């Protein structure tokens, strides 16, 4: 069932018992978790936090703690699964689901008490009515048992009634199958979970600037990875800007009450969030201008930086901006002050000519003291890189905690490390994309495009993680559409695959929607499932995002052929 009043229907109910927090490996989930942690700390609440990468992790974590926990909070996980069926909890256990994945499982929606979905149903979700998908046939079964003790005449009449009931049941089952297919055929994302938790904190009058910043980071991740349509991102930005203004005024009033001697120290350590015009270039304040232009998807696609001509156009752009190569190749913070101050205006003047208008926008920036200044997208890329940097020496759970520490103003060293890892990640993504585009390794399967990342690719181990492969897919698809002469190219989705575990012979596969879709709904979740059934292939759909799967490398070509036949 849906719980719209989060304070009464959720927060007050969990205050007196230990909670189990199961948090998915994504930036939005980590930001929502951080806001909850702050609320729990303020109210002296006890909780256990466990990061979960997939369904098996979630099941294992619950089984390990189910005996001592009554309240389980799922953050960006569990909403699309029948939790009661999967986890078999005791009747006293209550599940609170805070999940941006859609569509929700109908058993969770219509659970009377054991599963509580935090928030309200999306307006465009079109949830089927209860009677359309659930039916109690126990009375029919009782009738059929009583038939054996009746006379021949009555049995005949009951048989006729039974036939009518069976026909009706079959029609209802067929209609139900159609309704369920329509409801579950697309997988997509709803509102940011961090935004939802922040709204709860605001309604409880327990919010502050740190919390609104974490909500900003969570919402920014959705925009960067194309999880929600641009219209919703703009609306969220407006809402967040209003909260920033309100909280900044409140903080200013608190500073005014301090003595004059303490005011200067207060200003040096105060948190300040600004919302202003900015260039949507990746990490440009912490990188060189040339590298940032090269590794930002909008500029890389518009200038076609995978080609020799594209490299020339980049140099032409820098020259026409009046930015010497020596200046563009050193860290932005080390550039001449005049060039730094005029950089945005330089780009704005030439944006139309070089077709890079999309990099002109607005962004939120957090400043703390003199040296701590980062925009929201900087934090997102740092957290993504830290989460996906697990190795044999470093467990995923440690990477998760590093990403969580990125949200702390006192852990600047970890954030800087994340930014350096993000540069390395983006550099390798764009090298792989350049190789694929130059070698024309993007293939058409008729109704969709597909690409297989070459095994000999430099740092190919990076693409054993979903997010780098997802960013690579988005760049490749946009580049292909921009350079293709086929008018149907914007309508084609893309499937990308890379080696996941060479020793075990498994591959990772992701599917992304076409560029023409502003509302990014993907049909690959159900399509992957059906293609696996049609080919008797075993796929490991362990991720909470159903458009990401693992499968045997030897079955990959057969699987892609089945997918092509399915999507004709």
């Amino acid at each position: 069932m849906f719980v719209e009043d989060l304070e009464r229907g959720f927060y007050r109910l969990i205050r007196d018992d230990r909670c189990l927090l199961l948090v998915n490996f994504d930036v939005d989930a980590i930001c929502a978790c951080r806001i909850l942690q702050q609320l729990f700390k303020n109210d002296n609440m006890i909780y256990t936090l466990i990061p979960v990468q997939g369904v098996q992790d979630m099941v294992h974590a619950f089984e390990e703690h189910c005996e001592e926990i009554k309240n389980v909070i799922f953050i960006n996980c569990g909403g699309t699964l029948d939790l009661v069926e999967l986890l078999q909890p005791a009747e006293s256990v209550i599940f609170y689901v805070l999940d941006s994945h859609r569509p929700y499982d109908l058993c969770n929606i219509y659970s009377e008490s054991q599963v509580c979905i935090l928030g309200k149903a999306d307006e465009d979700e079109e949830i089927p009515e209860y009677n359309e998908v659930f039916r109690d046939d126990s009375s029919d079964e009782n009738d059929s048992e009583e038939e054996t003790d009746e006379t021949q005449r009555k049995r005949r009449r009951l048989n006729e009634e039974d036939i009518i009931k069976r026909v009706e049941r079959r029609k209802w089952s067929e209609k139900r199958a159609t309704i369920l297919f329509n409801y579950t055929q697309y997988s997509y994302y709803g509102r940011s979970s961090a935004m939802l938790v922040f709204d709860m904190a605001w309604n409880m009058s327990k919010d502050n600037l740190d919390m609104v910043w974490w909500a900003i980071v969570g919402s920014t991740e959705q925009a960067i990875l194309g999880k929600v349509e641009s219209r919703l991102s703009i609306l969220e930005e407006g809402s967040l800007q209003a909260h920033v203004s309100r909280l900044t005024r409140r903080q200013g009033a608190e500073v005014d009450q301090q003595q004059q001697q303490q005011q200067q120290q207060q200003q040096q350590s105060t948190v300040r969030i600004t919302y202003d015009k900015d260039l949507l270039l990746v990490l440009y304040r912490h990188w060189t201008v040339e590298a940032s232009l090269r590794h930002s998807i909008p500029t890389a696609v518009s200038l076609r930086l995978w080609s020799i001509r594209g490299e020339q156009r980049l140099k032409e752009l820098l020259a026409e901006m009046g930015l010497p190569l020596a200046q563009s190749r050193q860290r932005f913070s080390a550039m001449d002050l005049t060039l730094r101050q005029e950089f945005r205006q330089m780009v704005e003047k030439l944006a139309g000519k070089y077709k890079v208008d999309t990099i002109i926008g607005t962004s939120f920036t957090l400043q703390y003291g003199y040296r701590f200044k980062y925009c929201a997208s900087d934090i997102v890329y740092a957290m993504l890189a830290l989460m996906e940097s697990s190795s044999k020496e470093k467990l995923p759970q440690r990477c998760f905690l590093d990403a969580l520490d990125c949200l702390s103003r006192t852990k600047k060293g970890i954030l800087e490390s994340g930014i350096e890892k993000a540069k390395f990640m983006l550099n390798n993504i764009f090298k792989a994309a350049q190789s694929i585009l130059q070698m024309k390794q993007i293939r058409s399967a008729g109704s969709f495009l597909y690409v297989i990342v070459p095994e000999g690719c430099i740092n190919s181990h990076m693409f054993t993680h979903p997010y780098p492969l997802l960013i690579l897919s988005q760049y490749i698809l946009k580049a292909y559409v921009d350079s293709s002469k086929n008018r149907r190219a914007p309508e084609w989705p893309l499937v990308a695959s890379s080696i996941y575990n060479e020793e075990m012979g498994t591959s990772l596969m992701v599917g992304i929607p076409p560029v023409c879709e502003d509302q990014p709904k993907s049909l690959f979740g159900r399509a992957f499932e059906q293609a696996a059934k049609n080919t008797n292939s075993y796929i490991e759909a362990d991720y909470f995002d159903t458009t990401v799967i693992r499968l045997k490398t030897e079955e990959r070509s057969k699987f892609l052929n089945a997918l092509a036949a399915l999507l004709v």
Side-chain angles (χ1 to χ4, degrees):
M1 64 178 180
F2 288 100
V3 176
E4 295 189 23
D5 187 341
L6 299 192
E7 182 181 3
R8 290 185 181 181
F10 164 59
Y11 196 76
R12 289 184 186 178
L13 301 179
I14 65 171
R15 288 182 61 170
D16 299 327
D17 295 305
R18 187 187 193 96
C19 299
L20 176 62
L21 277 173
L22 300 179
V23 186
N24 185 22
F25 274 64
D26 74 53
V27 172
D28 179 41
I30 293 174
C31 292
C33 171
R34 190 68 187 87
I35 298 171
L36 271 180
Q37 282 182 303
Q38 187 65 52
L39 291 171
F40 290 171
K41 182 181 178 182
N42 294 344
D43 291 324
N44 296 315
M45 292 169 60
I46 302 172
Y47 65 92
T48 300
L49 167 63
I50 301 181
V52 291
Q53 276 189 303
V55 178
Q56 293 306 313
D57 280 356
M58 185 181 75
V59 172
H60 180 70
F62 176 75
E63 288 175 349
E64 194 174 337
H65 295 86
C66 62
E67 293 180 3
E68 56 195 49
I69 296 289
K70 290 185 179 178
N71 299 313
V72 185
I73 304 168
F74 298 83
I75 303 183
N76 281 0
C77 59
T80 59
L81 305 165
D82 184 351
L83 289 174
V84 175
E85 177 69 25
L86 179 67
L87 301 177
Q88 300 289 319
E91 290 184 6
S92 60
V93 175
I94 299 177
F95 295 150
Y96 295 97
V97 178
L98 179 65
D99 196 353
S100 60
H101 295 97
R102 300 289 188 276
Y104 291 123
D105 187 274
L106 292 173
C107 293
N108 293 339
I109 292 174
Y110 289 112
S111 172
E112 293 182 359
S113 59
Q114 202 156 16
V115 180
C116 300
I117 299 174
L118 305 185
K120 57 184 180 181
D122 299 336
E123 293 177 3
D124 58 346
E125 199 164 354
E126 299 180 359
I127 297 170
E129 295 294 327
Y130 179 86
N131 292 331
E132 291 178 330
V133 288
F134 296 103
R135 177 170 174 162
D136 183 9
D137 285 335
S138 58
S139 60
D140 298 341
E141 291 171 8
N142 292 337
D143 289 345
S144 61
E145 288 174 7
E146 291 169 5
E147 287 175 358
T148 56
D149 301 327
E150 299 295 323
T151 62
Q152 187 71 27
R153 180 178 57 80
K154 193 172 181 180
R155 187 184 301 149
R156 190 180 299 113
R157 179 169 57 81
L158 287 173
N159 282 341
E160 290 174 0
E161 290 176 2
D162 192 39
I163 290 169
I164 292 169
K165 284 181 182 178
R166 287 179 182 176
V167 170
E168 288 176 354
R169 195 182 299 124
R170 189 176 70 249
K171 286 180 180 178
W172 179 84
S173 297
E174 289 172 356
K175 185 180 178 183
R176 178 181 185 270
T178 303
I179 290 169
L180 286 177
F181 176 79
N182 291 336
Y183 176 68
T184 60
Q185 66 175 322
Y186 293 108
S187 52
Y188 58 103
Y189 285 84
R191 194 183 184 211
S192 156
S193 295
M195 281 294 300
L196 203 62
V197 181
F198 173 76
D199 281 350
M200 180 185 75
W202 170 47
N203 290 327
M204 293 162 58
S205 300
K206 294 184 178 182
D207 58 331
N208 56 35
L209 275 173
D210 279 329
M211 288 184 185
V212 77
W213 175 248
W214 299 330
I216 287 167
V217 174
S219 181
T220 301
E221 182 242 19
Q222 287 199 318
I224 286 175
L225 296 179
K227 290 183 175 181
V228 292
E229 57 183 305
S230 53
R231 177 183 62 86
L232 292 178
S233 296
I234 293 167
L235 289 173
E236 291 287 32
E237 274 192 16
S239 171
L240 288 163
Q241 185 187 11
H243 285 300
V244 167
S245 299
R246 173 180 58 82
L247 291 164
T248 302
R249 283 197 299 271
R250 189 173 79 184
Q251 186 188 63
E254 290 171 359
V255 170
D256 290 340
Q257 294 171 6
Q258 304 295 323
Q259 294 180 359
Q260 189 67 29
Q261 291 180 343
Q262 295 175 338
Q263 191 167 358
Q264 188 175 2
Q265 295 176 359
Q266 186 90 14
Q267 287 173 344
Q268 288 175 11
S269 61
T270 194
V271 178
R272 194 156 60 92
I273 299 174
T274 55
Y275 179 71
D276 206 352
K277 280 187 175 181
D278 199 2
L279 295 175
L280 307 182
L281 292 173
V282 60
L283 302 173
Y284 79 90
R285 290 184 180 87
H286 314 279
W287 215 348
T288 69
V289 167
E290 186 185 36
S292 183
L293 286 166
R294 188 186 304 281
H295 296 95
S296 298
I297 290 179
T299 49
V301 170
S302 296
L303 299 174
R304 301 190 180 180
L305 292 179
W306 60 89
S307 64
I308 296 172
R309 175 65 184 134
E311 288 290 327
Q312 292 172 345
R313 281 175 63 79
L314 176 59
K315 289 176 182 175
E316 287 171 14
L317 171 60
L318 292 170
E320 207 165 336
M321 282 166 57
L323 197 63
L325 275 178
Q327 291 285 327
S328 69
R329 287 176 178 172
Q330 63 180 323
R331 196 178 174 96
F332 182 79
S333 57
M335 283 169 55
D336 290 348
L337 180 61
T338 312
L339 293 173
R340 271 187 288 155
Q341 291 173 337
E342 296 176 356
F343 178 59
R344 181 165 60 80
Q345 288 83 354
M346 291 176 183
V347 176
E348 285 177 351
K349 284 180 184 177
L350 298 170
K353 180 179 178 180
Y354 287 89
K355 298 178 182 179
V356 290
D357 305 77
T358 51
I359 65 169
I360 299 168
T362 50
S363 71
F364 290 94
T365 303
L366 174 72
Q367 188 161 359
Y368 176 67
Y370 294 120
R371 295 189 176 183
F372 192 100
K373 185 176 181 180
Y374 300 91
C375 71
S377 62
D378 297 338
I379 310 291
V380 170
Y381 282 112
M383 291 175 72
L384 287 173
L386 285 170
M387 271 193 301
E388 304 292 46
S389 62
S390 60
S391 61
K392 291 179 181 178
E393 295 78 29
K394 194 170 186 180
L395 293 174
Q397 288 75 14
R398 179 66 255 175
C399 297
F400 177 95
L401 294 175
D402 284 347
L404 184 62
D405 284 341
C406 269
L407 297 173
S408 173
R409 288 178 276 110
T410 59
K411 303 283 181 70
K412 188 184 175 187
I414 292 176
L415 178 55
E416 285 294 333
S417 168
I419 286 175
E420 292 305 313
K421 286 180 184 295
K423 292 178 188 177
F424 180 75
M425 177 182 78
L426 291 166
N427 188 31
N428 283 289
I429 287 171
F430 281 76
K431 278 182 180 177
Q434 185 178 30
S435 171
I436 288 166
L437 290 163
Q438 285 179 345
M439 301 294 290
K440 297 184 178 180
Q441 292 175 326
I442 303 168
R443 301 282 182 262
S444 173
S447 53
F448 67 93
L449 303 169
Y450 70 92
V451 63
I452 294 172
V453 179
E455 290 183 42
C457 180
I458 299 173
N459 292 309
S460 58
H461 67 275
M462 186 168 287
F463 301 109
T464 61
H465 301 286
Y467 285 120
L469 186 59
L470 179 65
I471 296 170
L472 175 68
S473 305
Q474 290 175 342
Y475 175 27
I476 287 173
L477 182 58
K478 288 175 181 176
Y480 179 87
V481 170
D482 184 79
S483 58
S484 175
K485 294 178 182 178
N486 193 320
R487 292 182 181 180
R488 290 190 58 202
E491 301 171 10
W492 289 333
L494 174 78
V495 173
S497 180
S498 62
I499 295 297
Y500 177 75
N501 188 317
E502 195 170 355
E503 293 176 3
M504 296 180 66
T506 54
S507 292
L508 183 69
M509 186 174 284
V510 301
I512 61 171
V515 297
C516 66
E517 293 287 339
D518 185 47
Q519 189 173 11
K521 290 188 174 183
S522 177
L523 50 74
F524 281 117
R526 285 297 300 272
F528 285 163
E529 186 182 322
Q530 191 59 48
K533 285 181 182 177
N534 293 349
T535 57
N536 291 322
S537 302
Y538 173 72
I539 62 169
E540 201 172 346
D542 190 50
Y543 297 98
F544 297 109
D545 185 341
T546 56
T547 61
V548 184
I549 60 167
R550 295 194 292 266
L551 74 164
K552 289 286 186 184
T553 305
E554 61 188 22
E555 295 182 337
R556 189 164 55 184
S557 58
K558 177 178 70 173
F559 183 84
L560 287 169
N561 290 336
L563 200 60
L566 192 66
L567 299 177
V568 170

